[in-house]
Amino acid sequence: MRTAVISHPHCRKHTMGAEHPECPERLDAITDRLLASGVDATIAHMQAPKVSMAQVALVHEQSHIDEVLAAIPKQGVHEFADDVWLCPDSFKAVERAAGAGILAVDEVLAGNLDAAFCSVRPPGHHANQYASSGFCVFNNLAIAVAYAKSLGVKRIAVLDIDVHHGNGTQDIFREQPDVLFCSLFQYPFYPNTEIENNQHIVNSPLPVASKGEDLRALFNQQWLPKLLEFNAELIFISAGFDAHIEDDMAGLQFVEADYQWLTEQVINIAKHTQAKGIISFLEGGYALSALGRSVTSHVKALVEG
């Protein structure tokens, strides 16, 4: 598939303090592994534009946007919300992280791309309409979904594969049945969301030490029937890679081959439903080597799909 990696140098400018796991080096690890693997030569590279505040307001309350803008410090690192710190250059990263999804939607809907991976930070899936939390300032993926809906896309599937529940994304789309939200996550674990399920929300908790075979069973039994029935026109992935066995932020035991397999299944569904494309966003993943290898497996599967 025609695949692009969308990023921007400003996504490295955001820092939440020395030794914080959500660090600029995450993007370097991805870039280096894509280059070393040879996958880099098979993809397009695009620079993320700045998101407009009108686009952010498709998802976030204006009061929240104003709070973020007012909280950018002149110097140092400022604690803004639960597990969210801001530095003087944080907004430069935030507006490109969300802008990557806008460009991805435009390129996919124009027929120029079949898939895009937004290699951006800060991540977004814990941020809801009203608040930032869990390393996330704005919900990058949700903004892109809302933007795609504003352009006339009627059925959108969101698959969250981060080790933590995508509580912010769930909050945003809870009352929107034209968005199918599927989230797998270690449970019990942060953010300790109450598990709910309905016709368009599919939560799939996994116990600690779950492996690839558990992922396969979950996907085939819980997600696949819903995805085939829903018939999405566009598929988004909250691509967290912190369920990897080498990532000590959590306790699941996925490996690169599991991320490759899952990506291949999503591609098969996209082809079956004749979806316009697949757009994924970097969320978690803090063991740098494992992160680079996992993203490379994900992107390689997209290219070869």
Side-chain angles (χ1 to χ4, degrees):
M1 300 199 300
R2 297 165 302 166
T3 302
V5 170
I6 304 175
S7 191
H8 196 281
H10 284 177
C11 289
R12 296 190 81 265
K13 290 182 174 291
H14 170 64
T15 179
M16 294 199 288
E19 308 303 320
H20 197 285
E22 205 296 279
C23 59
E25 289 77 16
R26 298 176 67 225
L27 299 186
D28 298 335
I30 292 169
T31 300
D32 291 348
R33 183 61 66 168
L34 287 171
L35 278 166
S37 68
V39 174
D40 185 77
T42 67
I43 55 179
H45 294 272
M46 297 183 176
Q47 285 214 337
K50 296 179 181 179
V51 73
S52 73
M53 291 305 100
Q55 290 162 340
V56 175
L58 292 171
V59 163
H60 294 288
E61 291 294 319
Q62 188 61 48
S63 59
H64 177 48
I65 297 170
D66 293 342
E67 286 173 0
V68 171
L69 290 168
I72 302 298
K74 296 279 194 261
Q75 60 184 11
V77 176
H78 167 68
E79 186 173 2
F80 171 62
D82 178 33
D83 288 327
V84 179
W85 290 261
L86 299 173
C87 73
D89 287 329
S90 286
F91 199 75
K92 293 179 180 178
V94 167
E95 62 186 354
R96 301 291 180 170
I102 301 298
L103 177 59
V105 169
D106 283 341
E107 290 294 311
V108 168
L109 295 187
N112 299 326
L113 290 176
D114 302 305
F117 175 70
C118 299
S119 186
V120 295
R121 53 180 297 277
H125 74 149
H126 294 309
N128 66 16
Q129 304 97 311
Y130 317 103
S132 304
S133 67
F135 308 169
C136 305
V137 181
F138 292 149
N139 195 312
N140 309 314
L141 180 146
I143 292 166
V145 170
Y147 176 66
K149 288 178 63 175
S150 77
L151 297 179
V153 181
K154 291 183 169 52
R155 294 182 311 282
I156 296 174
V158 176
L159 309 180
D160 193 316
I161 63 171
D162 193 274
V163 80
H164 305 97
H165 181 241
N167 61 308
T169 308
Q170 176 179 283
D171 287 351
I172 290 164
F173 296 115
R174 177 178 279 109
E175 305 300 328
Q176 300 182 37
D178 53 354
V179 177
L180 173 65
F181 175 71
C182 302
S183 181
L184 65 83
F185 48 95
Q186 181 178 323
Y187 185 83
F189 203 42
Y190 178 92
N192 299 306
T193 325
E194 182 178 346
I195 297 173
E196 61 180 275
N197 288 284
N198 60 34
Q199 284 301 107
H200 73 106
I201 294 176
V202 183
N203 281 310
S204 303
L206 286 167
V208 67
S210 294
K211 299 179 172 63
E213 54 262 36
D214 304 301
L215 168 66
R216 287 162 173 76
L218 177 159
F219 183 88
N220 289 325
Q221 295 168 18
Q222 299 180 39
W223 289 14
L224 181 59
K226 280 284 189 180
L227 286 163
L228 293 175
E229 178 187 9
F230 186 73
N231 200 37
E233 296 179 15
L234 196 57
I235 299 175
F236 287 80
I237 304 174
S238 263
F241 299 96
D242 39 4
H244 195 284
I245 191 170
E246 294 177 21
D247 199 313
D248 60 10
M249 285 281 282
L252 298 189
Q253 298 182 5
F254 297 173
V255 296
E256 299 94 293
D258 299 321
Y259 292 115
Q260 179 177 337
W261 179 88
L262 184 61
T263 308
E264 290 168 349
Q265 307 317 299
V266 177
I267 292 166
N268 290 340
I269 290 165
K271 289 180 176 178
H272 180 82
T273 64
Q274 297 184 321
K276 300 175 188 299
I278 299 169
I279 298 171
S280 67
F281 287 78
L282 177 65
E283 300 284 2
Y286 308 101
L288 297 183
S289 176
L291 173 63
R293 301 193 316 268
S294 298
V295 170
T296 298
S297 294
H298 174 60
V299 173
K300 186 172 184 284
L302 292 173
V303 170
E304 295 176 350

